[in-house]
Amino acid sequence: MKNQKIYPWVVVALLWVVALLNYMDRQMLSTMREYMAIDIAQLQSAEAFGALMGIFLLIYAFVSPFAGTVADRLSRKWLIVGSLAVWSLVTLLMGYCTTYDQLMWLRGLMGVSEALYIPSSLSLIADYHTGKSRSLAVGIHMTGLYLGQALGGFGAVLASALTWQQTFHWFGVIGVAYAVVLSLALKENRVPVKPSSTKCAAETRESVWKSFSLIFSNIAFWAILFFFASSSMPGWATKNWLPTLFQTSLNIPMEQAGPIATITIAAASLIGVLIGGPLSDRWVKVNLKGRVYTSAIGLAMMVPALVLIGLGHGLAAAVAAGLLFGIGYGMFDTNNMPILCQFVPSRLRATAYGFLNTVGVAMGYVCTLVLGRMQDDGNLGAAFAVLGIVTALALVVQLSVLHPKTDNME
């Protein structure tokens, strides 16, 4: 009984490290552009760099629905272990790149491997944790993503102290080693499909296309899909372009701009998770819409933050806007899977979250490319302010459409 109570939190701890590596390995590229451009001339163009960041998102978006479908049918443990091993090996190999095309191919492969992780991990955590701890457990896992994002902001610092090649090498080795640890410590916890009176359990799982049909016939899922995608644009914008915006608007070197941008938002997002997770878990006990309301508070905080990020002036305004955005994003992010659990049964959650990732990351891809062009034109700040309007629209849809009838759909 004691192990049954402790091990679900051990799972969160194990996956927290994977989440950290997931975002750190993808994020550190965004701050090492200046050093890499010395050896790979194409990276001197912001548009070309945006395309390099964007290819990851494009491939990630394409693979995500299939990754979720696979996670609902195969061992999530081995999908997680395998994806970690592959993207860590890709990180290692990026240190050997000498051409822009080589980087593009490896970033694409990283998109495939990392797409397998989030649907599998969040579905596994949701199955280990009941409603009374679900938002908190998901939120703690998300703090690994935030810290990974923050540590990725030190890519320029490490590249200046070592080389950009050695930075990729070391983080790749660390990930491969942890994949071995995870293969020994992580356990699957598949919720069994309940058999009907005439069919055995093995026969009751829907076909892939039937699963898709069930998900997309749910009006609530379309609403979740919309506000998730809309809020993903500013999320990816801050990940991929906020260090650059701070560098230009504050007139400071990337060694300072990268950590300021990533640490400010990551630390604030951690605070948002610690507020939004427990608040949601308590609020839903007295009002089934409590998770939706908690998420909505987060979105409402992101709107003015994005405007201030884009149009504000000075270090104080930049840090204040980053803190406000991070707290709001943490409150929003920690409740996405718990809200999904209110409208989608366990056997379909990884598939459903895969589709969320697909549309969210696809919007992030478009946003990353557009912001690259706007940076070349000197309009990056205005683009961030416009994203505040998009987030406000997502907030209206969320509050208008989502009316849960249970906290855990079976």
Side-chain angles (χ1 to χ4, degrees), residues 84-341:
L84 170 61
V86 172
W87 89 60
S88 298
L89 182 60
V90 166
T91 302
L92 174 66
L93 292 175
M94 286 183 71
Y96 293 100
C97 288
T98 57
T99 69
Y100 181 77
D101 287 344
Q102 290 172 347
L103 288 173
M104 288 288 282
W105 278 103
L106 286 175
R107 284 291 286 185
L109 182 56
M110 178 176 281
V112 174
S113 57
E114 290 206 3
L116 292 168
Y117 174 66
I118 290 294
S120 298
S121 61
L122 293 185
S123 173
L124 186 61
I125 290 172
D127 281 351
Y128 265 111
H129 288 268
T130 61
K132 63 182 180 181
S133 63
R134 182 170 284 159
S135 283
L136 180 59
V138 170
I140 291 174
H141 170 264
M142 289 299 184
T143 63
L145 302 179
Y146 307 147
L147 182 58
Q149 179 183 347
L151 294 179
F154 284 91
V157 177
L158 292 174
S160 64
L162 304 171
T163 65
W164 66 267
Q165 293 94 338
Q166 289 178 331
T167 302
F168 280 128
H169 291 164
W170 278 111
F171 285 113
V173 169
I174 291 171
V176 170
Y178 190 70
V180 176
V181 174
L182 199 67
S183 68
L184 300 174
L186 187 63
K187 299 178 183 179
E188 179 61 85
N189 183 36
R190 180 71 68 186
V191 175
V193 178
K194 296 180 181 180
S196 66
S197 58
T198 58
K199 295 183 178 181
C200 68
E203 294 174 331
T204 55
R205 184 173 293 279
E206 301 89 354
S207 67
V208 172
W209 297 113
K210 179 64 173 177
S211 297
F212 290 176
S213 176
L214 288 172
I215 291 170
F216 283 104
S217 63
N218 187 338
I219 298 299
F221 177 75
W222 283 100
I224 296 171
L225 189 67
F226 179 83
F227 78 72
F228 184 90
S230 301
S231 57
S232 291
M233 287 192 286
W236 283 108
T238 54
K239 293 179 181 70
N240 291 340
W241 284 112
L242 191 58
T244 300
L245 178 63
F246 280 2
Q247 180 188 30
T248 55
S249 65
L250 301 177
N251 195 26
I252 57 177
M254 183 58 78
E255 289 88 344
Q256 298 176 23
I260 289 173
T262 56
I263 291 177
T264 298
I265 291 184
S269 297
L270 172 60
I271 295 173
V273 164
L274 295 178
I275 295 172
L279 175 62
S280 174
D281 286 333
R282 287 174 172 81
W283 202 343
V284 77
K285 293 179 181 178
V286 296
N287 188 333
L288 285 174
K289 210 171 178 177
R291 300 197 189 280
V292 176
Y293 289 146
T294 305
S295 177
I297 292 172
L299 286 176
M301 296 174 66
M302 291 164 58
V303 174
L306 286 165
V307 175
L308 185 58
I309 286 174
L311 304 180
H313 300 283
L315 180 61
V319 172
L323 290 172
L324 185 62
F325 179 88
I327 293 173
Y329 194 83
M331 294 181 68
F332 161 78
D333 207 21
T334 193
N335 281 291
N336 285 325
M337 176 57 89
I339 289 174
L340 191 68
C341 291

